Amino acid sequence: MSNNAKARVIGMGSYLPEKVLSNQDLEKLVDTSDEWIFSRTGMKERRIARDDEHASTMGAEAGRRALATAGKSADDVDLILVATMTPDYTSPSTAGLVQQMLSAKNAAAMDVQAMCSGYLYALTTAKAYIESGLYRCVLVVASEKMSSVVDYTDRNTCILFGDGASASVVTGEGAGLQVDTVSLGSDGSLAELIWIPGGGSRCPPSAEMLESGKHYFQMSGREVYKHAVRRMASTAQTCLDTAGVTADQISWVVPHQANLRIMEAITKSFVIPSERVYKTVHKYGNTSASGVAIALDDLTREHALSAGERVLLIAFGGGLTWGAMVLKQVEG
Ligand code: UT7
């Protein structure tokens, strides 16, 4: 492999838990309705992990499937990156657990924390490592067990989230989706708009912390909505400008699957027809870091991409963090 080879995703695989939590199920838990949830978010149902399924186990299964699709073995992997905001443990990393579950004995392993933007941040990290020549085969896993941090008595948040994982094998050669252009950003001054305030070193676990519910995911939905629309539209435009391509040269847009209305608003701003915006939000809800990756995997299984076709990924999450990426299908 030459050192100036461009990184590309040569195989993907996903894992969604079997258990379905529908809007009707949520009506029995909190004061809400199928009509409210669907009209405000576009969601119908989401998947929920079993008690014995974790970010690591779901991520490892997605990893096995991705390696099989790519025609690679666990021995080929020299770095595992796991994007998650719901790690099995505060320490050590979930990537280390995935390394052990896959018996990927030649791999280094670390987590990437960028909340819902995690997949784009991890894929960018993989790109940098591959293109520097330091690693040759990186397994990027995005895995979330959001049900473990959601308060199922809070109707503002519990209707939104689901669990699931997706993995991508990234190398510098072979047919796949080449990572052409990346645009990432962050604004830590707005950390408290989407967060889990308790359980870390600033507010360690205690009876008082549990009593106050600080271990649960909290979000100022209306504020976040405004930032999400603004940041996703602008980072996507920056990415297109950097790539030197116009919106009509993009075959598919795969945005963060947080809310159908947000997706419609951002794509309107740079004029992409709704039917070219790929959506899984109705069936999986918001699966945080894994959402864009699950949707991208779903897209490539439903629609074969020809060489030269481009896909635009757009993400937004807590931090705040955001990002966009232009991928181009290349031949081997
Ligand atoms: O993944 C990270 C990024 N996350 C996002 O991008 C999410 C961004 N935010 C959103 O998608 C939306 O803000 C939500 C879907 C979370 C909420 O939709 P909204 O249209 O912004 O509703 P709202 O928060 O302004 O609430 C409107 C009303 C409120 O009642 P009042 O105060 O107007 O009387 C809420 O109490 O709807 C009420 N409400 C509900 N009603 C029925 C809030 N949640 C529910 C519910 N069922 N589940």
PDB file of all heavy atoms in Angstrom, residues 41-73:
ATOM      1  N   THR A  41     -41.159  13.931  15.516  1.00  0.00           N
ATOM      2  CA  THR A  41     -39.821  13.330  15.314  1.00  0.00           C
ATOM      3  C   THR A  41     -39.707  12.423  14.087  1.00  0.00           C
ATOM      4  O   THR A  41     -38.600  12.141  13.641  1.00  0.00           O
ATOM      5  CB  THR A  41     -39.421  12.453  16.529  1.00  0.00           C
ATOM      6  OG1 THR A  41     -40.277  11.293  16.555  1.00  0.00           O
ATOM      7  CG2 THR A  41     -39.556  13.198  17.837  1.00  0.00           C
ATOM      8  N   GLY A  42     -40.835  11.903  13.585  1.00  0.00           N
ATOM      9  CA  GLY A  42     -40.794  10.914  12.495  1.00  0.00           C
ATOM     10  C   GLY A  42     -40.538   9.501  12.987  1.00  0.00           C
ATOM     11  O   GLY A  42     -40.369   8.582  12.187  1.00  0.00           O
ATOM     12  N   MET A  43     -40.494   9.314  14.313  1.00  0.00           N
ATOM     13  CA  MET A  43     -40.191   7.976  14.857  1.00  0.00           C
ATOM     14  C   MET A  43     -41.465   7.147  15.051  1.00  0.00           C
ATOM     15  O   MET A  43     -42.493   7.668  15.471  1.00  0.00           O
ATOM     16  CB  MET A  43     -39.491   8.106  16.222  1.00  0.00           C
ATOM     17  CG  MET A  43     -38.122   8.735  16.124  1.00  0.00           C
ATOM     18  SD  MET A  43     -37.445   9.053  17.765  1.00  0.00           S
ATOM     19  CE  MET A  43     -36.023  10.077  17.333  1.00  0.00           C
ATOM     20  N   LYS A  44     -41.351   5.839  14.761  1.00  0.00           N
ATOM     21  CA  LYS A  44     -42.434   4.893  14.986  1.00  0.00           C
ATOM     22  C   LYS A  44     -42.020   3.866  16.042  1.00  0.00           C
ATOM     23  O   LYS A  44     -42.808   3.462  16.878  1.00  0.00           O
ATOM     24  CB  LYS A  44     -42.777   4.141  13.692  1.00  0.00           C
ATOM     25  CG  LYS A  44     -43.660   4.926  12.739  1.00  0.00           C
ATOM     26  CD  LYS A  44     -44.970   5.248  13.397  1.00  0.00           C
ATOM     27  CE  LYS A  44     -46.165   5.272  12.504  1.00  0.00           C
ATOM     28  NZ  LYS A  44     -47.374   5.717  13.261  1.00  0.00           N
ATOM     29  N   GLU A  45     -40.774   3.419  15.922  1.00  0.00           N
ATOM     30  CA  GLU A  45     -40.271   2.429  16.877  1.00  0.00           C
ATOM     31  C   GLU A  45     -38.761   2.531  16.984  1.00  0.00           C
ATOM     32  O   GLU A  45     -38.107   3.214  16.187  1.00  0.00           O
ATOM     33  CB  GLU A  45     -40.712   1.011  16.473  1.00  0.00           C
ATOM     34  CG  GLU A  45     -40.307   0.616  15.062  1.00  0.00           C
ATOM     35  CD  GLU A  45     -40.897  -0.726  14.639  1.00  0.00           C
ATOM     36  OE1 GLU A  45     -42.112  -0.952  14.859  1.00  0.00           O
ATOM     37  OE2 GLU A  45     -40.136  -1.540  14.085  1.00  0.00           O
ATOM     38  N   ARG A  46     -38.221   1.863  17.983  1.00  0.00           N
ATOM     39  CA  ARG A  46     -36.769   1.824  18.192  1.00  0.00           C
ATOM     40  C   ARG A  46     -36.435   0.472  18.806  1.00  0.00           C
ATOM     41  O   ARG A  46     -37.330  -0.243  19.271  1.00  0.00           O
ATOM     42  CB  ARG A  46     -36.248   3.007  19.023  1.00  0.00           C
ATOM     43  CG  ARG A  46     -36.695   3.208  20.414  1.00  0.00           C
ATOM     44  CD  ARG A  46     -38.131   3.630  20.681  1.00  0.00           C
ATOM     45  NE  ARG A  46     -38.580   4.951  20.288  1.00  0.00           N
ATOM     46  CZ  ARG A  46     -39.781   5.197  19.766  1.00  0.00           C
ATOM     47  NH1 ARG A  46     -40.670   4.223  19.594  1.00  0.00           N
ATOM     48  NH2 ARG A  46     -40.154   6.407  19.447  1.00  0.00           N
ATOM     49  N   ARG A  47     -35.140   0.070  18.785  1.00  0.00           N
ATOM     50  CA  ARG A  47     -34.734  -1.232  19.324  1.00  0.00           C
ATOM     51  C   ARG A  47     -34.118  -1.040  20.711  1.00  0.00           C
ATOM     52  O   ARG A  47     -33.418  -0.045  20.955  1.00  0.00           O
ATOM     53  CB  ARG A  47     -33.704  -1.886  18.402  1.00  0.00           C
ATOM     54  CG  ARG A  47     -34.209  -2.138  16.994  1.00  0.00           C
ATOM     55  CD  ARG A  47     -35.392  -3.098  16.993  1.00  0.00           C
ATOM     56  NE  ARG A  47     -35.866  -3.321  15.637  1.00  0.00           N
ATOM     57  CZ  ARG A  47     -35.416  -4.305  14.844  1.00  0.00           C
ATOM     58  NH1 ARG A  47     -34.486  -5.145  15.280  1.00  0.00           N
ATOM     59  NH2 ARG A  47     -35.891  -4.436  13.629  1.00  0.00           N
ATOM     60  N   ILE A  48     -34.333  -2.022  21.588  1.00  0.00           N
ATOM     61  CA  ILE A  48     -33.818  -1.948  22.958  1.00  0.00           C
ATOM     62  C   ILE A  48     -33.016  -3.210  23.263  1.00  0.00           C
ATOM     63  O   ILE A  48     -33.504  -4.338  23.055  1.00  0.00           O
ATOM     64  CB  ILE A  48     -34.982  -1.796  23.977  1.00  0.00           C
ATOM     65  CG1 ILE A  48     -35.815  -0.532  23.657  1.00  0.00           C
ATOM     66  CG2 ILE A  48     -34.451  -1.756  25.423  1.00  0.00           C
ATOM     67  CD1 ILE A  48     -35.096   0.800  23.812  1.00  0.00           C
ATOM     68  N   ALA A  49     -31.801  -3.018  23.778  1.00  0.00           N
ATOM     69  CA  ALA A  49     -30.912  -4.153  24.075  1.00  0.00           C
ATOM     70  C   ALA A  49     -31.428  -4.944  25.276  1.00  0.00           C
ATOM     71  O   ALA A  49     -32.063  -4.394  26.170  1.00  0.00           O
ATOM     72  CB  ALA A  49     -29.509  -3.628  24.351  1.00  0.00           C
ATOM     73  N   ARG A  50     -31.106  -6.259  25.268  1.00  0.00           N
ATOM     74  CA  ARG A  50     -31.382  -7.086  26.449  1.00  0.00           C
ATOM     75  C   ARG A  50     -30.426  -6.674  27.575  1.00  0.00           C
ATOM     76  O   ARG A  50     -29.423  -6.006  27.341  1.00  0.00           O
ATOM     77  CB  ARG A  50     -31.120  -8.567  26.130  1.00  0.00           C
ATOM     78  CG  ARG A  50     -32.018  -9.188  25.081  1.00  0.00           C
ATOM     79  CD  ARG A  50     -31.761 -10.704  25.045  1.00  0.00           C
ATOM     80  NE  ARG A  50     -30.345 -11.031  24.952  1.00  0.00           N
ATOM     81  CZ  ARG A  50     -29.700 -11.319  23.814  1.00  0.00           C
ATOM     82  NH1 ARG A  50     -30.335 -11.311  22.662  1.00  0.00           N
ATOM     83  NH2 ARG A  50     -28.402 -11.603  23.821  1.00  0.00           N
ATOM     84  N   ASP A  51     -30.702  -7.150  28.793  1.00  0.00           N
ATOM     85  CA  ASP A  51     -29.821  -6.835  29.926  1.00  0.00           C
ATOM     86  C   ASP A  51     -28.399  -7.349  29.693  1.00  0.00           C
ATOM     87  O   ASP A  51     -27.431  -6.762  30.176  1.00  0.00           O
ATOM     88  CB  ASP A  51     -30.362  -7.470  31.221  1.00  0.00           C
ATOM     89  CG  ASP A  51     -31.615  -6.756  31.706  1.00  0.00           C
ATOM     90  OD1 ASP A  51     -31.916  -5.666  31.177  1.00  0.00           O
ATOM     91  OD2 ASP A  51     -32.293  -7.302  32.598  1.00  0.00           O
ATOM     92  N   ASP A  52     -28.280  -8.486  28.964  1.00  0.00           N
ATOM     93  CA  ASP A  52     -26.937  -9.045  28.740  1.00  0.00           C
ATOM     94  C   ASP A  52     -26.304  -8.561  27.428  1.00  0.00           C
ATOM     95  O   ASP A  52     -25.307  -9.121  26.977  1.00  0.00           O
ATOM     96  CB  ASP A  52     -26.969 -10.581  28.787  1.00  0.00           C
ATOM     97  CG  ASP A  52     -27.811 -11.180  27.660  1.00  0.00           C
ATOM     98  OD1 ASP A  52     -28.555 -10.429  26.994  1.00  0.00           O
ATOM     99  OD2 ASP A  52     -27.712 -12.407  27.446  1.00  0.00           O
ATOM    100  N   GLU A  53     -26.884  -7.562  26.792  1.00  0.00           N
ATOM    101  CA  GLU A  53     -26.262  -6.945  25.608  1.00  0.00           C
ATOM    102  C   GLU A  53     -25.717  -5.580  26.016  1.00  0.00           C
ATOM    103  O   GLU A  53     -26.387  -4.827  26.733  1.00  0.00           O
ATOM    104  CB  GLU A  53     -27.290  -6.765  24.495  1.00  0.00           C
ATOM    105  CG  GLU A  53     -27.727  -8.073  23.881  1.00  0.00           C
ATOM    106  CD  GLU A  53     -28.740  -7.872  22.753  1.00  0.00           C
ATOM    107  OE1 GLU A  53     -29.729  -7.140  22.961  1.00  0.00           O
ATOM    108  OE2 GLU A  53     -28.551  -8.462  21.684  1.00  0.00           O
ATOM    109  N   HIS A  54     -24.518  -5.270  25.535  1.00  0.00           N
ATOM    110  CA  HIS A  54     -23.841  -4.035  25.946  1.00  0.00           C
ATOM    111  C   HIS A  54     -23.243  -3.347  24.715  1.00  0.00           C
ATOM    112  O   HIS A  54     -23.209  -3.941  23.634  1.00  0.00           O
ATOM    113  CB  HIS A  54     -22.733  -4.366  26.952  1.00  0.00           C
ATOM    114  CG  HIS A  54     -23.177  -5.307  28.018  1.00  0.00           C
ATOM    115  ND1 HIS A  54     -24.067  -4.940  29.010  1.00  0.00           N
ATOM    116  CD2 HIS A  54     -22.911  -6.619  28.230  1.00  0.00           C
ATOM    117  CE1 HIS A  54     -24.309  -5.971  29.790  1.00  0.00           C
ATOM    118  NE2 HIS A  54     -23.628  -7.006  29.334  1.00  0.00           N
ATOM    119  N   ALA A  55     -22.700  -2.137  24.945  1.00  0.00           N
ATOM    120  CA  ALA A  55     -22.031  -1.457  23.820  1.00  0.00           C
ATOM    121  C   ALA A  55     -20.947  -2.372  23.241  1.00  0.00           C
ATOM    122  O   ALA A  55     -20.765  -2.451  22.022  1.00  0.00           O
ATOM    123  CB  ALA A  55     -21.429  -0.140  24.302  1.00  0.00           C
ATOM    124  N   SER A  56     -20.229  -3.084  24.103  1.00  0.00           N
ATOM    125  CA  SER A  56     -19.139  -3.959  23.623  1.00  0.00           C
ATOM    126  C   SER A  56     -19.669  -5.144  22.824  1.00  0.00           C
ATOM    127  O   SER A  56     -19.175  -5.420  21.722  1.00  0.00           O
ATOM    128  CB  SER A  56     -18.326  -4.483  24.812  1.00  0.00           C
ATOM    129  OG  SER A  56     -19.167  -5.255  25.666  1.00  0.00           O
ATOM    130  N   THR A  57     -20.679  -5.841  23.338  1.00  0.00           N
ATOM    131  CA  THR A  57     -21.137  -7.065  22.649  1.00  0.00           C
ATOM    132  C   THR A  57     -21.819  -6.717  21.325  1.00  0.00           C
ATOM    133  O   THR A  57     -21.608  -7.398  20.319  1.00  0.00           O
ATOM    134  CB  THR A  57     -22.109  -7.888  23.531  1.00  0.00           C
ATOM    135  OG1 THR A  57     -23.236  -7.079  23.866  1.00  0.00           O
ATOM    136  CG2 THR A  57     -21.425  -8.355  24.810  1.00  0.00           C
ATOM    137  N   MET A  58     -22.604  -5.648  21.335  1.00  0.00           N
ATOM    138  CA  MET A  58     -23.259  -5.236  20.078  1.00  0.00           C
ATOM    139  C   MET A  58     -22.204  -4.757  19.078  1.00  0.00           C
ATOM    140  O   MET A  58     -22.261  -5.074  17.884  1.00  0.00           O
ATOM    141  CB  MET A  58     -24.281  -4.119  20.349  1.00  0.00           C
ATOM    142  CG  MET A  58     -25.462  -4.572  21.194  1.00  0.00           C
ATOM    143  SD  MET A  58     -26.774  -3.332  21.278  1.00  0.00           S
ATOM    144  CE  MET A  58     -26.027  -2.086  22.312  1.00  0.00           C
ATOM    145  N   GLY A  59     -21.210  -4.008  19.596  1.00  0.00           N
ATOM    146  CA  GLY A  59     -20.129  -3.508  18.729  1.00  0.00           C
ATOM    147  C   GLY A  59     -19.300  -4.646  18.160  1.00  0.00           C
ATOM    148  O   GLY A  59     -18.919  -4.625  16.979  1.00  0.00           O
ATOM    149  N   ALA A  60     -19.028  -5.664  18.987  1.00  0.00           N
ATOM    150  CA  ALA A  60     -18.229  -6.802  18.509  1.00  0.00           C
ATOM    151  C   ALA A  60     -18.985  -7.568  17.428  1.00  0.00           C
ATOM    152  O   ALA A  60     -18.393  -7.982  16.415  1.00  0.00           O
ATOM    153  CB  ALA A  60     -17.883  -7.726  19.679  1.00  0.00           C
ATOM    154  N   GLU A  61     -20.302  -7.746  17.614  1.00  0.00           N
ATOM    155  CA  GLU A  61     -21.085  -8.463  16.590  1.00  0.00           C
ATOM    156  C   GLU A  61     -21.113  -7.660  15.279  1.00  0.00           C
ATOM    157  O   GLU A  61     -20.944  -8.229  14.191  1.00  0.00           O
ATOM    158  CB  GLU A  61     -22.503  -8.730  17.105  1.00  0.00           C
ATOM    159  CG  GLU A  61     -23.363  -9.549  16.172  1.00  0.00           C
ATOM    160  CD  GLU A  61     -22.725 -10.863  15.703  1.00  0.00           C
ATOM    161  OE1 GLU A  61     -21.958 -11.489  16.459  1.00  0.00           O
ATOM    162  OE2 GLU A  61     -22.981 -11.269  14.546  1.00  0.00           O
ATOM    163  N   ALA A  62     -21.291  -6.351  15.398  1.00  0.00           N
ATOM    164  CA  ALA A  62     -21.241  -5.509  14.190  1.00  0.00           C
ATOM    165  C   ALA A  62     -19.859  -5.627  13.546  1.00  0.00           C
ATOM    166  O   ALA A  62     -19.729  -5.704  12.312  1.00  0.00           O
ATOM    167  CB  ALA A  62     -21.554  -4.053  14.545  1.00  0.00           C
ATOM    168  N   GLY A  63     -18.815  -5.670  14.376  1.00  0.00           N
ATOM    169  CA  GLY A  63     -17.437  -5.807  13.872  1.00  0.00           C
ATOM    170  C   GLY A  63     -17.244  -7.106  13.110  1.00  0.00           C
ATOM    171  O   GLY A  63     -16.647  -7.115  12.023  1.00  0.00           O
ATOM    172  N   ARG A  64     -17.763  -8.225  13.667  1.00  0.00           N
ATOM    173  CA  ARG A  64     -17.655  -9.523  12.973  1.00  0.00           C
ATOM    174  C   ARG A  64     -18.320  -9.439  11.608  1.00  0.00           C
ATOM    175  O   ARG A  64     -17.791  -9.914  10.604  1.00  0.00           O
ATOM    176  CB  ARG A  64     -18.368 -10.613  13.790  1.00  0.00           C
ATOM    177  CG  ARG A  64     -17.509 -11.218  14.856  1.00  0.00           C
ATOM    178  CD  ARG A  64     -18.239 -12.320  15.634  1.00  0.00           C
ATOM    179  NE  ARG A  64     -17.714 -12.282  16.996  1.00  0.00           N
ATOM    180  CZ  ARG A  64     -18.376 -11.830  18.051  1.00  0.00           C
ATOM    181  NH1 ARG A  64     -19.619 -11.444  17.952  1.00  0.00           N
ATOM    182  NH2 ARG A  64     -17.772 -11.789  19.230  1.00  0.00           N
ATOM    183  N   ARG A  65     -19.502  -8.832  11.565  1.00  0.00           N
ATOM    184  CA  ARG A  65     -20.249  -8.738  10.300  1.00  0.00           C
ATOM    185  C   ARG A  65     -19.513  -7.844   9.295  1.00  0.00           C
ATOM    186  O   ARG A  65     -19.470  -8.136   8.103  1.00  0.00           O
ATOM    187  CB  ARG A  65     -21.665  -8.209  10.565  1.00  0.00           C
ATOM    188  CG  ARG A  65     -22.480  -9.193  11.398  1.00  0.00           C
ATOM    189  CD  ARG A  65     -23.867  -8.676  11.758  1.00  0.00           C
ATOM    190  NE  ARG A  65     -24.529  -9.630  12.651  1.00  0.00           N
ATOM    191  CZ  ARG A  65     -25.769  -9.517  13.087  1.00  0.00           C
ATOM    192  NH1 ARG A  65     -26.506  -8.479  12.753  1.00  0.00           N
ATOM    193  NH2 ARG A  65     -26.288 -10.430  13.894  1.00  0.00           N
ATOM    194  N   ALA A  66     -18.923  -6.768   9.792  1.00  0.00           N
ATOM    195  CA  ALA A  66     -18.192  -5.855   8.893  1.00  0.00           C
ATOM    196  C   ALA A  66     -16.951  -6.547   8.318  1.00  0.00           C
ATOM    197  O   ALA A  66     -16.646  -6.421   7.119  1.00  0.00           O
ATOM    198  CB  ALA A  66     -17.791  -4.589   9.646  1.00  0.00           C
ATOM    199  N   LEU A  67     -16.233  -7.280   9.168  1.00  0.00           N
ATOM    200  CA  LEU A  67     -15.033  -7.988   8.697  1.00  0.00           C
ATOM    201  C   LEU A  67     -15.421  -9.021   7.637  1.00  0.00           C
ATOM    202  O   LEU A  67     -14.728  -9.169   6.611  1.00  0.00           O
ATOM    203  CB  LEU A  67     -14.309  -8.661   9.869  1.00  0.00           C
ATOM    204  CG  LEU A  67     -13.583  -7.703  10.828  1.00  0.00           C
ATOM    205  CD1 LEU A  67     -13.170  -8.430  12.113  1.00  0.00           C
ATOM    206  CD2 LEU A  67     -12.349  -7.077  10.166  1.00  0.00           C
ATOM    207  N   ALA A  68     -16.536  -9.722   7.855  1.00  0.00           N
ATOM    208  CA  ALA A  68     -16.994 -10.722   6.875  1.00  0.00           C
ATOM    209  C   ALA A  68     -17.325 -10.039   5.543  1.00  0.00           C
ATOM    210  O   ALA A  68     -16.936 -10.520   4.468  1.00  0.00           O
ATOM    211  CB  ALA A  68     -18.208 -11.472   7.414  1.00  0.00           C
ATOM    212  N   THR A  69     -18.014  -8.905   5.606  1.00  0.00           N
ATOM    213  CA  THR A  69     -18.362  -8.181   4.375  1.00  0.00           C
ATOM    214  C   THR A  69     -17.100  -7.733   3.642  1.00  0.00           C
ATOM    215  O   THR A  69     -17.023  -7.776   2.417  1.00  0.00           O
ATOM    216  CB  THR A  69     -19.216  -6.921   4.695  1.00  0.00           C
ATOM    217  OG1 THR A  69     -20.293  -7.309   5.529  1.00  0.00           O
ATOM    218  CG2 THR A  69     -19.749  -6.261   3.440  1.00  0.00           C
ATOM    219  N   ALA A  70     -16.100  -7.305   4.416  1.00  0.00           N
ATOM    220  CA  ALA A  70     -14.859  -6.782   3.817  1.00  0.00           C
ATOM    221  C   ALA A  70     -13.908  -7.899   3.377  1.00  0.00           C
ATOM    222  O   ALA A  70     -12.904  -7.629   2.712  1.00  0.00           O
ATOM    223  CB  ALA A  70     -14.151  -5.871   4.821  1.00  0.00           C
ATOM    224  N   GLY A  71     -14.201  -9.147   3.769  1.00  0.00           N
ATOM    225  CA  GLY A  71     -13.284 -10.251   3.443  1.00  0.00           C
ATOM    226  C   GLY A  71     -11.984 -10.161   4.232  1.00  0.00           C
ATOM    227  O   GLY A  71     -10.919 -10.563   3.757  1.00  0.00           O
ATOM    228  N   LYS A  72     -12.060  -9.647   5.456  1.00  0.00           N
ATOM    229  CA  LYS A  72     -10.877  -9.530   6.323  1.00  0.00           C
ATOM    230  C   LYS A  72     -11.068 -10.408   7.567  1.00  0.00           C
ATOM    231  O   LYS A  72     -12.202 -10.722   7.948  1.00  0.00           O
ATOM    232  CB  LYS A  72     -10.713  -8.075   6.788  1.00  0.00           C
ATOM    233  CG  LYS A  72     -10.369  -7.098   5.673  1.00  0.00           C
ATOM    234  CD  LYS A  72      -8.895  -7.129   5.368  1.00  0.00           C
ATOM    235  CE  LYS A  72      -8.510  -6.120   4.299  1.00  0.00           C
ATOM    236  NZ  LYS A  72      -7.137  -6.321   3.820  1.00  0.00           N
ATOM    237  N   SER A  73      -9.959 -10.754   8.197  1.00  0.00           N
ATOM    238  CA  SER A  73     -10.060 -11.506   9.452  1.00  0.00           C
ATOM    239  C   SER A  73      -9.684 -10.576  10.606  1.00  0.00           C
ATOM    240  O   SER A  73      -9.082  -9.511  10.387  1.00  0.00           O
ATOM    241  CB  SER A  73      -9.116 -12.711   9.425  1.00  0.00           C
ATOM    242  OG  SER A  73      -7.805 -12.277   9.715  1.00  0.00           O
TER     243      SER A  73
END
